């Protein structure tokens, strides 16, 4: 089953706290997950200031700068993994280095019947 691990942290603090992971550590962990055969995809995201939100209401498209909601933590990246169950997905997520300074939301990917 696929699980999406959404990495959230405060962009302004992400690299300034003593527990903050360096990029090299994050890359090494992603490579380790890939070697294990559990990685589908992983990417870091550009800063939230580059985000654009699109909404369609009653046929009208509205485009606004920034993220969907004002929050203290921003979505900074993701891992899309394969895991046998939620327990395994949580073990993988707990080792994602930014978990030390932010949070990792783990969600099963919905399988659509065709």
């Amino acid at each position: 089953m696929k699980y999406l691990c959404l990495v959230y942290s405060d962009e302004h603090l992400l690299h300034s706290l003593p527990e903050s992971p360096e990029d090299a550590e994050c890359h090494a962990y992603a490579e380790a997950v890939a070697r294990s055969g559990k990685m589908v995809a992983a990417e870091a995201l550009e800063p939230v200031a580059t985000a654009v939100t699109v909404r369609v209401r009653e046929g009208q498209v509205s485009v606004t700068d920034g993220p969907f909601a004002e929050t203290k933590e921003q979505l900074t990246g993701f891992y899309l993994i394969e895991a046998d169950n939620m327990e395994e997905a949580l073990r993988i997520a707990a080792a994602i280095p930014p978990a030390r300074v932010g949070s990792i939301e783990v969600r099963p990917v919905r399988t659509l019947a065709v």
Side-chain angles (χ1 to χ4, degrees), residues 6-109:
L6 298 166
V7 180
Y8 289 94
S9 61
D10 183 327
E11 285 183 346
H12 302 292
L13 299 177
L14 179 60
H15 295 291
S16 64
L17 299 172
E19 315 82 36
S20 295
E22 297 291 330
D23 285 344
E25 180 185 4
C26 295
H27 291 288
Y29 182 70
E31 289 173 8
V33 176
R35 282 192 306 276
S36 76
K38 299 293 181 178
M39 180 74 72
V40 176
E43 296 290 342
L45 300 176
E46 290 293 334
V48 73
T50 66
V52 177
T53 299
V54 176
R55 293 181 180 86
V56 178
R57 301 293 186 271
E58 298 178 8
Q60 297 297 310
V61 177
S62 119
V63 179
T64 55
D65 291 342
F68 178 72
E70 292 289 326
T71 63
K72 291 185 180 184
E73 292 185 331
Q74 295 80 37
L75 179 63
T76 58
F78 71 90
Y79 288 69
L80 179 58
I81 61 170
E82 288 275 356
D84 294 333
N85 52 45
M86 179 62 89
E87 185 177 312
E88 181 181 27
L90 293 175
R91 278 195 307 273
I92 293 169
I96 295 173
R100 297 193 306 262
V101 294
S103 61
I104 312 297
E105 178 183 343
V106 180
R107 296 177 63 178
V109 173

